[in-house]
Amino acid sequence: TTIAILGWPAFSVAERPVPGRPGDPRFAVALLDADDRIVGAVGVGGARAVNAIRPLIERRAPVGELEPSRPAG
C-alpha cells in the first residue's frame, strides 16, 4: 500500500475525505487548519487524489473549494 503525504499535517485540526472514504482500498483526506483552510493531504493506495489538490494546499485554499467526495477508482 502506498501512502502519500503533502503539506503541513502538524497544522491540521480536522479532515475531509476527497475522494473515497477511510476503509476503502484507495482514499484521500484533505487536512484542514482551524480556519478551515486546506493545509495538507494524506492519500492511501496512490497519490493521484492528493496530487490533484496540491494547488489548493500550496495557497491554503478554503475548504469550500474542494470538489465533493466521490468514490475512489
Side-chain angles (χ1 to χ4, degrees):
T1 301
T2 302
I3 298 173
I5 302 170
L6 292 179
W8 304 271
F11 297 120
S12 69
V13 298
E15 64 277 330
R16 173 160 305 168
V18 290
R21 301 262 178 224
D24 291 349
R26 296 179 71 166
F27 70 92
V29 293
L31 305 174
L32 312 175
D33 68 9
D35 295 322
D36 281 338
R37 296 196 170 271
I38 305 161
V39 293
V42 177
V44 175
R48 193 175 319 154
V50 173
N51 285 331
I53 65 170
R54 181 185 298 264
L56 301 177
I57 296 167
E58 289 173 350
R59 61 185 175 83
R60 293 185 62 233
V63 68
E65 291 188 33
L66 286 172
E67 292 184 24
S69 181
R70 57 190 179 277

